[in-house]
């Protein structure tokens, strides 16, 4: 196999981009009258080679998100993950649950009772508790996974009954929007639902994390109450799929 030679310019731009995005997240929080420490920046690392991920970590990234179980498991030994929190953010098939439980700090993409039950079962067998977010399909798009908002509370209550799985909040990917106004509408719908459920104080339903906002819309998400923004291409550059 050919030795992989990192691109120095890309390493430099990863570090500059990370700092710039971090700064923009903080500015967006301040502008919204929020404490900048309440909003975490996740570096989304799908398709990105380990050297560039390690560069982001070196610069200060303390939260990374991967989409695919196989890809993450293949890369993790090359990553300097000391003190770094790892989240799975991509759609998870039930047959992959066994491989990922215990390997990440949170699964953000729980969208069915079937998946939650499997996470619960595997977690119990491994003697761990798995932290999760429930993914909401806020735009009701066929192309996206996630539960519709109308069915959210029922799903949360069902998951809350399961052992070895802990609900921490919600995640969403809104539709691609023509205008900023439109994306705000989706983010605000999510925030309202997040607060409504939090106020109901349902047993075992902890609503502390609202994960929304990506490269193109993280500032709007922060303005709307997000506390994890998941940014990939604005840090690492456009993705090349392999
Ligand atoms: C890829 C991805 C992101 C980041 O997308 P960018 O537009 O590159 O910032 C965020 N969240 C999820 C779930 C993703 O799959």
């Amino acid at each position: 196999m050919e030795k992989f030679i990192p691109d120095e310019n890309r390493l430099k731009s990863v570090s500059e981009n990370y700092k710039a995005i971090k700064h923009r997240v903080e500015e967006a929080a301040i502008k919204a009258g929020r404490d900048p420490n309440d909003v975490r920046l996740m570096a989304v690392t799908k398709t990105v080679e380990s050297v560039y991920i390690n560069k982001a970590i070196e610069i200060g990234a303390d939260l990374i998100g991967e989409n695919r179980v196989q890809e993450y498991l293949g890369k993790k030994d090359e990553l300097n993950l000391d003190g770094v929190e790892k989240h799975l953010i991509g759609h998870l098939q039930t047959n992959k649950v066994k491989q990922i439980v215990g390997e990440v700090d949170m699964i953000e993409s729980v969208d069915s009772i079937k998946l939650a039950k499997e996470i619960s079962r595997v977690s119990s067998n491994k003697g761990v508790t798995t932290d999760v977010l429930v993914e909401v399909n806020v735009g009701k798009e066929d192309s996206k996974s996630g539960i519709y908002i109308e069915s959210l509370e029922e799903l949360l209550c069902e998951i809350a009954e399961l052992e070895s799985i802990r609900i921490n909040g919600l995640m969403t990917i809104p539709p691609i929007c023509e205008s900023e106004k439109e994306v705000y509408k989706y983010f605000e719908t999510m925030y309202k639902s997040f607060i409504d459920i939090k106020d109901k104080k349902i047993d075992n339903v902890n609503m502390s994390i609202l994960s929304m906002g990506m490269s193109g819309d993280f500032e709007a998400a922060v303005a709307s109450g997000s506390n994890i923004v998941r940014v990939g291409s604005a840090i690492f550059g456009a993705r090349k799929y392999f």
Side-chain angles (χ1 to χ4, degrees), residues 68-241:
R68 299 205 198 107
V69 172
Q70 238 56 46
E71 189 184 335
Y72 175 67
L73 296 178
K75 289 196 289 203
K76 73 170 173 107
D77 290 339
E78 299 163 7
L79 300 175
N80 303 325
L81 291 171
D82 266 359
V84 176
E85 214 180 297
K86 294 94 58 187
H87 290 192
L88 185 79
I89 60 174
H91 181 65
L92 177 59
Q93 289 167 295
T94 37
N95 63 6
K96 300 270 171 66
V97 168
K98 270 204 244 21
Q99 297 170 63
I100 200 68
V101 162
E103 294 288 344
V104 289
D105 300 291
M106 194 175 287
I107 298 173
E108 295 201 5
S109 43
V110 174
D111 62 354
S112 70
I113 189 63
K114 178 167 170 256
L115 177 59
K117 279 182 174 163
E118 180 63 2
I119 293 172
S120 164
R121 190 185 70 80
V122 172
S123 301
S124 295
N125 285 346
K126 293 193 180 185
V128 297
T129 296
T130 301
D131 285 298
V132 304
L133 303 181
V134 169
E135 180 174 357
V136 178
N137 186 349
V138 68
K140 297 194 166 80
E141 293 169 284
D142 290 338
S143 60
K144 290 209 170 95
S145 34
I147 184 106
Y148 287 2
I149 262 187
E150 291 78 3
S151 315
L152 176 60
E153 197 177 322
E154 192 188 333
L155 177 62
L156 289 168
C157 290
E158 283 178 337
I159 299 175
E161 300 284 313
L162 303 173
E163 58 187 51
S164 310
I165 181 168
R166 188 161 48 214
I167 300 166
N168 291 271
L170 308 177
M171 184 271 253
T172 198
I173 311 172
I176 294 169
C177 292
E178 297 283 325
S179 69
E180 177 138 86
K181 199 170 148 216
E182 205 189 332
V183 78
Y184 267 105
K185 191 187 74 188
Y186 290 115
F187 287 152
E188 278 158 15
T189 301
M190 282 300 298
Y191 184 71
K192 185 175 176 300
S193 176
F194 175 74
I195 294 296
D196 283 350
I197 292 164
K198 194 203 278 263
D199 286 347
K200 286 185 184 164
K201 300 194 186 345
I202 304 166
D203 277 351
N204 297 324
V205 176
N206 169 23
M207 281 288 124
S208 54
I209 298 177
L210 180 57
S211 171
M212 60 184 192
M214 317 203 297
S215 290
D217 55 19
F218 67 87
E219 281 152 325
V222 171
S224 309
S226 166
N227 51 27
I228 293 184
V229 292
R230 308 178 310 267
V231 178
S233 47
I235 296 173
F236 297 106
R239 278 182 287 278
K240 296 186 290 283
Y241 282 91

